[in-house]
Amino acid sequence: QKEVEQNSGPLSVPEGAIASLNCTYSDRGSQSFFWYRQYSGKSPELIMFIYSNGDKEDGRFTAQLNKASQYVSLLIRDSQPSDSATYLCAANTGGFKTIFGAGTRLFVKA
Amino acid sequence: DAGVIQSPRHEVTEMGQEVTLRCKPISGHDYLFWYRQTMMRGLELLIYFNNNVPIDDSGMPEDRFSAKMPNASFSTLKIQPSEPRDSAVYFCASSSTDLAKNIQYFGAGTRLSVL
């Protein structure tokens, strides 16, 4: 069973702090990894994708991938209350099939 | 582009009734995905299509569920007969071979309640 594991949280951080979200995956054949943000009652929207080992930065967001450890993370710098949402980690497991983690709830306190 | 369009947004039905959910993918996308999301099981892939052909339906929970894609701009997910445990939010997503690494765009979802 191919799986993507996340801590369900909630993760609570003060405004302006760095939020660190983590994810592990079981399928060593996975090539692409995604972070989606989902506000309550809304659909998932893509924030970042990464497929090479190392870091990828986009504005306040940094995705990190370590294929040897089968580990993906998302850092959110200068967290804002508007970042409060559930963050879904996902892995492409072959073809176009994508497996999603259960999500981590993030609360950013003003 | 209007994005992925799903209908209805909300559906309330009684156990045993047939339910049909509809999806219009983004124009030009050749992949279409149906997901189900619940608190207990998270976001689960039910089935996905490429060029209107079902590629992987291993996530379809049982024979009561069926999905079709008669053309590139329309897909349906049908549940017959529906049961209370089918209550969930059903998302449709689309993607394109041309998009980097299978980025998927989600519709707003259909919230299904089976009483």
Side-chain angles (χ1 to χ4, degrees):
Chain A
Q1 180 80 4
K2 298 175 181 177
E3 294 181 338
V4 174
E5 300 284 345
Q6 294 181 256
N7 187 320
S8 63
L11 173 65
S12 183
V13 300
E15 183 176 359
I18 296 175
S20 178
L21 306 166
N22 306 311
C23 165
T24 59
Y25 59 95
S26 64
D27 182 12
R28 284 197 172 273
S30 295
Q31 295 295 316
S32 307
F33 306 88
F34 309 86
W35 284 99
Y36 284 80
R37 178 177 62 198
Q38 187 175 24
Y39 292 113
S40 180
K42 302 296 185 182
S43 58
E45 57 178 331
L46 182 74
I47 297 176
M48 298 278 291
F49 71 92
I50 186 168
Y51 49 87
S52 298
N53 273 327
D55 296 359
K56 179 181 178 182
E57 186 174 319
D58 184 1
R60 296 187 296 113
F61 300 97
T62 298
Q64 299 174 318
L65 173 61
N66 183 323
K67 290 187 177 180
S69 301
Q70 298 176 242
Y71 179 88
V72 190
S73 66
L74 179 70
L75 300 178
I76 306 175
R77 290 181 299 280
D78 189 22
S79 296
Q80 301 296 310
S82 59
D83 295 326
S84 298
T86 296
Y87 290 79
L88 304 174
C89 175
N92 182 290
T93 62
F96 267 61
K97 188 170 184 175
T98 302
I99 303 297
F100 284 79
T104 299
R105 287 178 296 153
L106 173 66
F107 290 107
V108 181
K109 298 174 292 184
Chain B
D1 199 313
V4 177
I5 299 173
Q6 292 186 245
S7 65
R9 290 295 311 278
H10 302 276
E11 177 79 35
V12 181
T13 191
E14 293 187 347
M15 182 174 62
Q17 296 299 305
E18 178 180 293
V19 175
T20 299
L21 310 182
R22 299 173 175 79
C23 176
K24 175 179 168 56
I26 293 172
S27 178
H29 281 192
D30 52 353
Y31 282 84
L32 184 139
F33 307 81
W34 282 101
Y35 291 91
R36 177 174 66 177
Q37 187 174 41
T38 61
M39 289 293 292
M40 290 295 294
R41 301 177 67 89
L43 191 63
E44 302 174 279
L45 177 65
L46 300 177
I47 185 172
Y48 77 95
F49 296 82
N50 177 221
N51 290 324
N52 314 335
V53 176
I55 302 301
D56 187 333
D57 66 355
S58 59
M60 296 286 263
E62 45 196 283
D63 292 345
R64 297 185 297 107
F65 286 70
S66 62
K68 295 182 179 180
M69 192 165 186
N71 57 63
S73 59
F74 183 67
S75 177
T76 59
L77 178 67
K78 186 175 294 186
I79 308 172
Q80 166 63 16
S82 58
E83 298 183 2
R85 59 195 170 115
D86 301 330
S87 298
V89 180
Y90 291 81
F91 288 106
C92 176
S94 71
S95 184
S96 169
T97 308
D98 295 332
L99 284 174
K101 306 302 179 183
N102 180 26
I103 295 171
Q104 297 182 25
Y105 294 87
F106 284 77
T110 296
R111 183 173 296 275
L112 174 65
S113 297
V114 183
L115 307 177

